[in-house]
Short mmCIF file of all heavy atoms in Angstrom, two decimals:
data_model
loop_
_atom_site.label_atom_id
_atom_site.label_comp_id
_atom_site.label_asym_id
_atom_site.label_seq_id
_atom_site.Cartn_x
_atom_site.Cartn_y
_atom_site.Cartn_z
N ALA G 115 -7.56 16.67 -9.87
CA ALA G 115 -7.12 15.76 -8.81
C ALA G 115 -7.53 14.32 -9.11
O ALA G 115 -6.76 13.38 -8.89
CB ALA G 115 -7.71 16.21 -7.47
N LEU G 116 -8.74 14.14 -9.62
CA LEU G 116 -9.21 12.80 -9.97
C LEU G 116 -8.38 12.19 -11.09
O LEU G 116 -8.01 11.01 -11.05
CB LEU G 116 -10.69 12.86 -10.38
CG LEU G 116 -11.42 11.52 -10.57
CD1 LEU G 116 -11.47 10.77 -9.24
CD2 LEU G 116 -12.82 11.76 -11.08
N LEU G 117 -8.01 12.99 -12.08
CA LEU G 117 -7.20 12.52 -13.20
C LEU G 117 -5.81 12.12 -12.73
O LEU G 117 -5.27 11.09 -13.13
CB LEU G 117 -7.12 13.62 -14.27
CG LEU G 117 -6.42 13.24 -15.58
CD1 LEU G 117 -7.17 12.11 -16.27
CD2 LEU G 117 -6.33 14.45 -16.51
N LEU G 118 -5.21 12.94 -11.85
CA LEU G 118 -3.87 12.61 -11.32
C LEU G 118 -3.91 11.34 -10.49
O LEU G 118 -2.98 10.51 -10.55
CB LEU G 118 -3.35 13.79 -10.49
CG LEU G 118 -2.95 15.04 -11.27
CD1 LEU G 118 -2.58 16.16 -10.31
CD2 LEU G 118 -1.80 14.76 -12.22
N GLY G 119 -4.97 11.18 -9.69
CA GLY G 119 -5.07 9.96 -8.89
C GLY G 119 -5.18 8.72 -9.75
O GLY G 119 -4.55 7.70 -9.48
N PHE G 120 -5.97 8.79 -10.82
CA PHE G 120 -6.11 7.65 -11.72
C PHE G 120 -4.79 7.32 -12.41
O PHE G 120 -4.41 6.17 -12.55
CB PHE G 120 -7.20 7.96 -12.76
CG PHE G 120 -7.36 6.87 -13.80
CD1 PHE G 120 -8.03 5.70 -13.50
CD2 PHE G 120 -6.82 7.03 -15.07
CE1 PHE G 120 -8.17 4.71 -14.45
CE2 PHE G 120 -6.96 6.03 -16.01
CZ PHE G 120 -7.63 4.86 -15.70
N ALA G 121 -4.08 8.36 -12.84
CA ALA G 121 -2.78 8.14 -13.50
C ALA G 121 -1.79 7.50 -12.55
O ALA G 121 -1.01 6.62 -12.94
CB ALA G 121 -2.25 9.47 -14.04
N SER G 122 -1.79 7.90 -11.27
CA SER G 122 -0.87 7.31 -10.30
C SER G 122 -1.17 5.84 -10.08
O SER G 122 -0.27 5.01 -10.01
CB SER G 122 -0.97 8.09 -8.98
OG SER G 122 -0.62 9.44 -9.15
N LEU G 123 -2.47 5.49 -9.96
CA LEU G 123 -2.83 4.08 -9.77
C LEU G 123 -2.45 3.24 -10.98
O LEU G 123 -1.98 2.11 -10.85
CB LEU G 123 -4.33 3.98 -9.51
CG LEU G 123 -4.82 4.50 -8.15
CD1 LEU G 123 -6.34 4.47 -8.09
CD2 LEU G 123 -4.23 3.68 -7.02
N LEU G 124 -2.62 3.80 -12.18
CA LEU G 124 -2.25 3.07 -13.39
C LEU G 124 -0.75 2.81 -13.44
O LEU G 124 -0.30 1.73 -13.78
CB LEU G 124 -2.71 3.86 -14.62
CG LEU G 124 -2.42 3.22 -15.99
CD1 LEU G 124 -3.13 1.87 -16.10
CD2 LEU G 124 -2.84 4.14 -17.11
N TRP G 125 0.05 3.82 -13.09
CA TRP G 125 1.51 3.64 -13.10
C TRP G 125 1.95 2.61 -12.07
O TRP G 125 2.82 1.79 -12.32
CB TRP G 125 2.18 4.99 -12.82
CG TRP G 125 3.67 4.85 -12.66
CD1 TRP G 125 4.39 4.87 -11.52
CD2 TRP G 125 4.62 4.61 -13.71
NE1 TRP G 125 5.71 4.68 -11.79
CE2 TRP G 125 5.89 4.51 -13.12
CE3 TRP G 125 4.51 4.48 -15.10
CZ2 TRP G 125 7.04 4.30 -13.86
CZ3 TRP G 125 5.67 4.25 -15.83
CH2 TRP G 125 6.90 4.18 -15.22
N LEU G 126 1.31 2.63 -10.87
CA LEU G 126 1.65 1.65 -9.85
C LEU G 126 1.37 0.24 -10.33
O LEU G 126 2.18 -0.68 -10.16
CB LEU G 126 0.86 1.94 -8.57
CG LEU G 126 1.02 0.93 -7.42
CD1 LEU G 126 2.46 0.93 -6.93
CD2 LEU G 126 0.08 1.27 -6.28
N GLN G 127 0.21 0.04 -10.97
CA GLN G 127 -0.14 -1.29 -11.46
C GLN G 127 0.83 -1.77 -12.53
O GLN G 127 1.27 -2.92 -12.53
CB GLN G 127 -1.57 -1.28 -12.00
CG GLN G 127 -2.02 -2.61 -12.58
CD GLN G 127 -2.09 -3.68 -11.50
OE1 GLN G 127 -2.31 -3.36 -10.34
NE2 GLN G 127 -1.87 -4.92 -11.87
N LEU G 128 1.20 -0.88 -13.45
CA LEU G 128 2.12 -1.28 -14.52
C LEU G 128 3.50 -1.59 -13.98
O LEU G 128 4.14 -2.56 -14.37
CB LEU G 128 2.21 -0.16 -15.57
CG LEU G 128 0.98 0.02 -16.46
CD1 LEU G 128 1.16 1.24 -17.36
CD2 LEU G 128 0.71 -1.21 -17.30
N SER G 129 3.99 -0.79 -13.03
CA SER G 129 5.33 -1.01 -12.51
C SER G 129 5.39 -2.27 -11.67
O SER G 129 6.38 -3.00 -11.68
CB SER G 129 5.78 0.20 -11.67
OG SER G 129 4.91 0.39 -10.56
N CYS G 130 4.31 -2.59 -10.91
CA CYS G 130 4.30 -3.80 -10.11
C CYS G 130 4.19 -5.04 -10.97
O CYS G 130 4.74 -6.08 -10.66
CB CYS G 130 3.14 -3.76 -9.11
SG CYS G 130 3.43 -2.63 -7.74
N SER G 131 3.44 -4.95 -12.06
CA SER G 131 3.28 -6.12 -12.92
C SER G 131 4.50 -6.36 -13.79
O SER G 131 4.66 -7.40 -14.39
CB SER G 131 2.06 -5.94 -13.84
OG SER G 131 2.26 -4.87 -14.74
N GLY G 132 5.41 -5.37 -13.85
CA GLY G 132 6.62 -5.53 -14.64
C GLY G 132 6.46 -5.13 -16.08
O GLY G 132 7.38 -5.25 -16.87
N ASP G 133 5.26 -4.63 -16.48
CA ASP G 133 5.03 -4.29 -17.88
C ASP G 133 5.94 -3.16 -18.34
O ASP G 133 6.36 -3.13 -19.49
CB ASP G 133 3.58 -3.87 -18.08
CG ASP G 133 2.63 -5.05 -17.95
OD1 ASP G 133 3.14 -6.18 -18.00
OD2 ASP G 133 1.43 -4.83 -17.78
N VAL G 134 6.27 -2.22 -17.45
CA VAL G 134 7.09 -1.09 -17.88
C VAL G 134 8.55 -1.48 -18.04
O VAL G 134 9.35 -0.72 -18.54
CB VAL G 134 6.98 0.06 -16.86
CG1 VAL G 134 5.57 0.58 -16.79
CG2 VAL G 134 7.45 -0.38 -15.48
N ALA G 135 8.92 -2.70 -17.60
CA ALA G 135 10.32 -3.11 -17.68
C ALA G 135 10.62 -3.98 -18.88
O ALA G 135 11.75 -4.39 -19.09
CB ALA G 135 10.71 -3.88 -16.40
N ARG G 136 9.60 -4.30 -19.70
CA ARG G 136 9.83 -5.22 -20.81
C ARG G 136 10.66 -4.57 -21.90
O ARG G 136 10.49 -3.41 -22.25
CB ARG G 136 8.49 -5.67 -21.38
CG ARG G 136 7.71 -6.54 -20.39
CD ARG G 136 6.72 -7.40 -21.13
NE ARG G 136 6.00 -8.20 -20.16
CZ ARG G 136 4.78 -7.90 -19.73
NH1 ARG G 136 4.15 -6.85 -20.18
NH2 ARG G 136 4.18 -8.66 -18.85
N ARG G 137 11.57 -5.36 -22.46
CA ARG G 137 12.39 -4.89 -23.56
C ARG G 137 12.48 -6.01 -24.59
O ARG G 137 12.74 -7.14 -24.25
CB ARG G 137 13.81 -4.56 -23.09
CG ARG G 137 13.85 -3.41 -22.11
CD ARG G 137 15.28 -3.16 -21.67
NE ARG G 137 15.39 -2.05 -20.78
CZ ARG G 137 15.24 -2.12 -19.48
NH1 ARG G 137 14.95 -3.26 -18.92
NH2 ARG G 137 15.36 -1.04 -18.72
N GLY G 138 12.28 -5.70 -25.83
CA GLY G 138 12.46 -6.67 -26.89
C GLY G 138 11.29 -7.64 -26.98
O GLY G 138 10.33 -7.59 -26.24
N HIS G 139 11.40 -8.57 -27.91
CA HIS G 139 10.31 -9.51 -28.21
C HIS G 139 10.31 -10.63 -27.19
O HIS G 139 11.24 -11.43 -27.11
CB HIS G 139 10.51 -10.08 -29.60
CG HIS G 139 9.49 -11.14 -29.93
ND1 HIS G 139 8.16 -10.84 -30.13
CD2 HIS G 139 9.63 -12.47 -30.08
CE1 HIS G 139 7.51 -11.96 -30.41
NE2 HIS G 139 8.38 -12.95 -30.38
N GLY G 140 9.26 -10.67 -26.38
CA GLY G 140 9.06 -11.78 -25.47
C GLY G 140 9.97 -11.81 -24.28
O GLY G 140 9.87 -12.69 -23.45
N ALA G 141 10.92 -10.89 -24.11
CA ALA G 141 11.86 -10.94 -23.00
C ALA G 141 11.58 -9.80 -22.06
O ALA G 141 11.10 -8.75 -22.43
CB ALA G 141 13.30 -10.84 -23.51
N ALA G 142 11.90 -10.02 -20.78
CA ALA G 142 11.71 -8.98 -19.78
C ALA G 142 12.96 -8.88 -18.94
O ALA G 142 13.64 -9.87 -18.66
CB ALA G 142 10.51 -9.31 -18.89
N ALA G 143 13.28 -7.67 -18.54
CA ALA G 143 14.39 -7.48 -17.63
C ALA G 143 14.02 -8.04 -16.27
O ALA G 143 12.84 -8.15 -15.93
CB ALA G 143 14.71 -5.99 -17.50
N PRO G 144 15.00 -8.45 -15.44
CA PRO G 144 14.67 -9.00 -14.13
C PRO G 144 13.87 -8.00 -13.32
O PRO G 144 14.19 -6.81 -13.28
CB PRO G 144 16.06 -9.25 -13.51
CG PRO G 144 16.99 -9.32 -14.66
CD PRO G 144 16.42 -8.43 -15.71
N ASP G 145 12.80 -8.48 -12.66
CA ASP G 145 11.97 -7.59 -11.88
C ASP G 145 12.73 -7.07 -10.68
O ASP G 145 13.42 -7.84 -9.99
CB ASP G 145 10.73 -8.34 -11.37
CG ASP G 145 9.81 -8.70 -12.51
OD1 ASP G 145 9.89 -8.02 -13.55
OD2 ASP G 145 9.01 -9.64 -12.36
N PRO G 146 12.63 -5.79 -10.36
CA PRO G 146 13.25 -5.29 -9.15
C PRO G 146 12.53 -5.83 -7.93
O PRO G 146 11.35 -6.13 -7.96
CB PRO G 146 13.08 -3.76 -9.28
CG PRO G 146 11.90 -3.60 -10.16
CD PRO G 146 11.93 -4.75 -11.12
N LEU G 147 13.28 -5.95 -6.82
CA LEU G 147 12.70 -6.46 -5.59
C LEU G 147 11.96 -5.34 -4.91
O LEU G 147 12.53 -4.48 -4.27
CB LEU G 147 13.81 -6.99 -4.68
CG LEU G 147 13.36 -7.63 -3.36
CD1 LEU G 147 12.43 -8.79 -3.65
CD2 LEU G 147 14.55 -8.07 -2.55
N LYS G 148 10.63 -5.31 -5.07
CA LYS G 148 9.80 -4.28 -4.46
C LYS G 148 8.43 -4.87 -4.19
O LYS G 148 7.97 -5.75 -4.90
CB LYS G 148 9.68 -3.07 -5.39
CG LYS G 148 9.08 -3.41 -6.75
CD LYS G 148 9.05 -2.20 -7.64
CE LYS G 148 8.53 -2.57 -9.02
NZ LYS G 148 8.50 -1.44 -9.93
N PRO G 149 7.80 -4.41 -3.11
CA PRO G 149 6.50 -4.97 -2.79
C PRO G 149 5.44 -4.49 -3.76
O PRO G 149 5.43 -3.35 -4.19
CB PRO G 149 6.23 -4.45 -1.38
CG PRO G 149 7.06 -3.21 -1.27
CD PRO G 149 8.26 -3.43 -2.15
N CYS G 150 4.52 -5.37 -4.11
CA CYS G 150 3.38 -5.04 -4.94
C CYS G 150 2.12 -5.50 -4.22
O CYS G 150 2.18 -6.42 -3.41
CB CYS G 150 3.47 -5.74 -6.30
SG CYS G 150 4.76 -5.07 -7.35
#
Side-chain angles (χ1 to χ4, degrees):
L116 189 64
L117 186 62
L118 289 175
F120 177 77
S122 299
L123 290 174
L124 181 61
W125 173 256
L126 176 64
Q127 178 65 28
L128 288 175
S129 61
C130 286
S131 66
D133 290 344
V134 297
R136 293 202 180 101
R137 296 179 178 87
H139 175 70
D145 292 337
L147 183 59
K148 59 183 177 181
C150 289

